[in-house]
Amino acid sequence: MIDNLITALGAEFVQLSLTPIVIGILGAVACALPGNFLLLRRQALIGDAISHVVLPGIVAAFLVTGTITAVPMMIGAGGAAIVAVILIEIVKRLGRVEPGAAMGLVFTTLFAAGVLFLEMTDTSSVHIDVQHALLGNLESLIWFDAEGWQSLLDPVALATLPPQLPRLAVVLLAIVLFITLFWKELKISTFDAAFAEAIGIRTRVLGFALVVVTAIAAVAAFDAVGSIIVIAMFVCPPAAARLMTNQLGRQIGWSVAFAVISAVLGYVFAGYGPGWFGSPYAVSAAGMIATISGIILLLACLFGPQRKRTGQRAEA
Amino acid sequence: MSNAELIAEAGKIVDVAAKDAPLTVRGLTVSYGNKPAVFSVDASIPAGSMTAIIGPNGAGKSTFLKGTLGVIPRLSGEVRIFGKPFHEARDRVAYVPQRASVDWDFPARVIDVVLMGLYGSVGLFRFWRARHRQAAMECLDRVGMADFATRQIGQLSGGQQQRVFLARALAQNAEFYLLDEPFAGVDAATERAIVAVLKDLKAEGRTVVCVHHDLSTVAEYFDRVLLINVRRIAEGPVDTTFTAANLQETYGGRLATTHIDELRLA
């Protein structure tokens, strides 16, 4: 048994599974953190919107630069996300429609435009396809030069880590810094925007910053793990965490835990789960991670200690 | 001194008094879309007074408060708080929004909400500390909610939620309190508790302004009224301004006869 475990976590594990798992964790947590605030501000859909408009952004970046290297792709995706956010604001104000409708309108239109773009231009020859955009390619992010755990201390081997890993690590660090530094402001303006404005918090600037942070998380994670995980992680871990506690700080802690559990279990089940049922094939890790996060949310709905909230108020 | 100088001098004194007043508003106009919600309203709130803002639903009472504090952008008009633009006098003002304007399902305990009132004394990039918690507990005690400090805010009754909002405003330790319908949907005990706290504030020399709905309690709770129906109808002491004629003008045909009867009884 213990021998099995050592083999399972040996050199092959480091080479094939360690980096996808770590990247999965970083991407999941990077999305879950801002997701907490989006959920409480009833803006959870914005994560969905941003991850959809990434597609036309990437196609546009390819058309302009003619390459599919990471930097122009990410700039294109980030630019599209910001354009989408501005379009949502415009539709909301000029059309006088509710925010959810404005988001739905903008992101479906832009996503559809992206698909059209993709078909009309000569991009089909390169590796951009809707399948890849949705599910990413977590399993392919392996660490060729790793020879075992000792490679973690080897600068030469470390230099060959998949670039998504350090990129997501930096993005996650930036998100943690943003939330820590503006903790009071985010908390107060999310709970009571009018009061926040009156005590001098720049609520509109902060709200826009939150959306920009969300867009950065979505774009960085999308590149590594695909939009299914991005969408699921913006919503599922925070929503499940809300059912576990009545304090914002603890809610964020729970959401991080749920994101990590989803990433690890999802990857392991996708890789090894079918084998337990006698199938020689693995299933998509991205799909499994998103599914696990959904199951966690379901369990929290059924058993979470704070699930009965509304309708239980003391009588006035 | 010549008469002209005296008049000039007198004008200055009046000016200075108005300048230092907690609130001076000239021609405040706020609009949602094309229709002005508040149109060219003037107001002048003297220090140490307790003023009720009165008017029918949709008359722009809340909008007047929000426009005053820059919570919503104003189309035109000048607002002076203690003689300064609001952003320079922010620390001297406490604002209590309508209870129904926030989501009470938010993951916070009672003490967390009161701590928000101490935002100004915590500082940028810093966190709430033990002394802030102690100050927050004292404010909760003043509104009779100290025993509820660790309750989730969604589990409170409407009256208890309103007291928590008042405690948050007390934590701001301001000189000028603006409350938006603090008595809406609260129980009788809470109403008495809130009135007692507001009268204490007045006794300490602070200034209180409330958007108020219940005409029958105006004379009992307040010493001044500001009657608004998009435009300012009247402003002044309760004795001279809270009259049937002014009310009729404020409410138009909408003030039911039963309402007037109640007022007579009160």
Side-chain angles (χ1 to χ4, degrees):
Chain A
M1 181 68 203
I2 290 172
D3 282 351
N4 277 345
L5 201 66
I6 288 169
T7 328
L9 295 177
E12 199 186 76
F13 171 82
V14 175
Q15 199 177 40
L16 297 180
S17 297
L18 181 65
T19 43
I21 289 179
V22 172
I23 289 170
I25 290 173
L26 292 175
V29 174
C31 294
L33 281 176
N36 282 289
F37 293 99
L38 297 178
L39 190 79
L40 293 170
R41 289 165 173 246
R42 311 213 179 283
Q43 289 184 327
L45 256 182
I46 206 137
D48 203 347
I50 289 170
S51 47
H52 275 79
V53 301
V54 157
L55 180 68
I58 285 177
V59 178
F62 172 75
L63 290 177
V64 171
T65 64
T67 66
I68 53 161
T69 47
V71 173
M73 292 293 112
M74 293 193 74
I75 292 172
I82 288 168
V83 166
V85 168
I86 293 168
L87 278 179
I88 289 169
E89 269 312 299
I90 291 174
V91 171
K92 215 161 66 184
R93 294 211 182 142
L94 293 186
R96 302 247 174 90
V97 294
E98 53 137 347
M103 286 179 212
L105 189 79
V106 169
F107 81 68
T108 46
T109 309
L110 286 180
F111 185 72
V115 173
L116 276 181
F117 237 169
L118 204 58
E119 290 190 338
M120 282 163 56
T121 55
D122 195 24
T123 46
S124 48
S125 58
V126 295
H127 189 64
I128 308 178
D129 58 59
V130 176
Q131 162 78 14
H132 181 242
L134 284 179
L135 293 177
N137 210 353
L138 196 53
E139 293 89 339
S140 71
L141 301 174
I142 52 180
W143 189 9
F144 283 115
D145 288 18
E147 285 160 0
W149 291 97
Q150 70 275 13
S151 296
L152 284 175
L153 299 173
D154 177 4
V156 179
L158 282 175
T160 63
L161 275 173
Q164 284 88 349
L165 199 157
R167 205 182 292 148
L168 267 174
V170 169
V171 165
L172 178 58
L173 186 70
I175 292 171
V176 169
L177 268 178
F178 171 72
I179 292 178
T180 311
L181 290 179
F182 296 103
W183 174 250
K184 294 191 305 294
E185 288 79 5
L186 281 168
K187 183 175 181 175
I188 297 173
S189 67
T190 301
F191 172 60
D192 189 344
F195 175 79
E197 191 72 42
I199 61 173
I201 295 172
R202 307 278 299 274
T203 55
R204 283 177 204 97
V205 177
L206 194 64
F208 188 72
L210 180 64
V211 172
V212 169
V213 163
T214 303
I216 293 170
V219 170
F222 166 86
D223 175 46
V225 299
S227 60
I228 290 285
I229 291 190
V230 172
I231 296 168
M233 288 304 144
F234 274 130
V235 180
C236 291
R242 177 64 191 92
L243 300 168
M244 301 301 293
T245 173
N246 278 325
Q247 279 172 257
L248 184 58
R250 291 185 187 177
Q251 177 188 321
I252 287 174
W254 277 105
S255 74
V256 170
F258 286 151
V260 172
I261 291 170
S262 303
V264 174
L265 283 188
Y267 187 83
V268 170
F269 285 175
Y272 304 102
W276 301 337
F277 297 99
S279 163
Y281 306 109
V283 297
S284 151
M288 186 59 85
I289 291 172
T291 307
I292 297 283
S293 73
I295 291 171
I296 290 176
L297 176 56
L298 178 69
L299 290 175
C301 287
L302 293 174
F303 305 111
Q306 304 301 338
R307 68 190 192 282
K308 292 184 202 151
R309 295 195 313 272
T310 43
Q312 281 212 326
R313 296 172 181 186
E315 283 307 304
Chain B
M1 213 182 273
S2 72
N3 276 351
E5 277 174 318
L6 271 176
I7 290 166
E9 199 65 23
K12 255 186 207 159
I13 290 162
V14 168
D15 234 356
V16 167
K19 243 180 154 179
D20 286 342
L23 178 65
T24 320
V25 178
R26 292 280 167 267
L28 179 69
T29 301
V30 180
S31 142
Y32 301 112
N34 297 327
K35 216 177 159 201
V38 167
F39 186 75
S40 193
V41 168
D42 293 350
S44 181
I45 307 288
S49 64
M50 255 177 102
T51 305
I53 301 180
I54 294 165
N57 290 330
K61 305 182 295 294
S62 296
T63 307
F64 172 78
L65 280 196
K66 288 181 191 162
T68 303
L69 300 178
V71 171
I72 48 174
R74 39 181 188 262
L75 219 54
S76 65
E78 199 192 346
V79 175
R80 285 280 179 274
I81 308 266
F82 297 108
K84 293 180 183 137
F86 174 59
H87 63 88
E88 286 175 28
R90 221 185 269 289
D91 295 347
R92 301 167 75 178
V93 178
Y95 167 54
V96 180
Q98 277 181 32
R99 181 170 56 87
S101 69
V102 306
D103 176 11
W104 289 90
D105 205 24
F106 188 84
R109 297 164 305 171
V110 165
I111 183 101
D112 298 325
V113 173
V114 182
L115 282 170
M116 293 178 186
L118 292 158
Y119 173 77
S121 64
V122 178
L124 199 62
F125 305 148
R126 288 175 184 277
F127 293 98
W128 289 287
R129 290 164 171 279
R131 66 187 162 90
H132 298 117
R133 276 169 217 289
Q134 203 183 335
M137 283 305 294
E138 282 163 20
C139 296
L140 275 175
D141 198 40
R142 279 182 76 179
V143 298
M145 289 288 292
D147 294 341
F148 293 83
T150 56
R151 281 279 190 95
Q152 205 275 326
I153 51 174
Q155 295 166 346
L156 304 177
S157 72
Q160 290 167 333
Q161 289 172 346
Q162 191 66 58
R163 290 191 208 195
V164 173
F165 257 18
L166 182 58
R168 180 177 69 177
L170 292 176
Q172 291 180 264
N173 193 21
E175 295 161 56
F176 180 28
Y177 284 78
L178 294 132
L179 299 88
D180 199 344
E181 299 205 24
F183 305 115
V186 306
D187 53 290
T190 296
E191 182 154 340
R192 280 194 300 275
I194 293 176
V195 169
V197 170
L198 296 182
K199 294 210 161 169
D200 282 350
L201 290 174
K202 178 184 152 68
E204 292 162 12
R206 302 175 207 247
T207 311
V208 178
V209 169
C210 290
V211 172
H212 191 57
H213 253 301
D214 183 3
L215 297 179
S216 67
T217 53
V218 169
E220 188 186 336
Y221 295 166
F222 299 94
D223 52 29
R224 294 179 78 258
V225 288
L226 170 59
L227 300 170
I228 291 182
N229 190 348
V230 184
R231 294 159 186 272
R232 185 188 83 158
I233 307 297
E235 183 190 8
V238 168
D239 300 341
T240 52
T241 314
F242 189 62
T243 60
N246 279 339
L247 283 174
Q248 205 55 257
E249 197 186 336
T250 309
Y251 285 81
R254 275 179 285 181
L255 189 66
T257 17
T258 48
H259 240 121
I260 293 176
D261 288 343
E262 276 170 25
L263 286 176
R264 284 205 191 103
L265 287 173

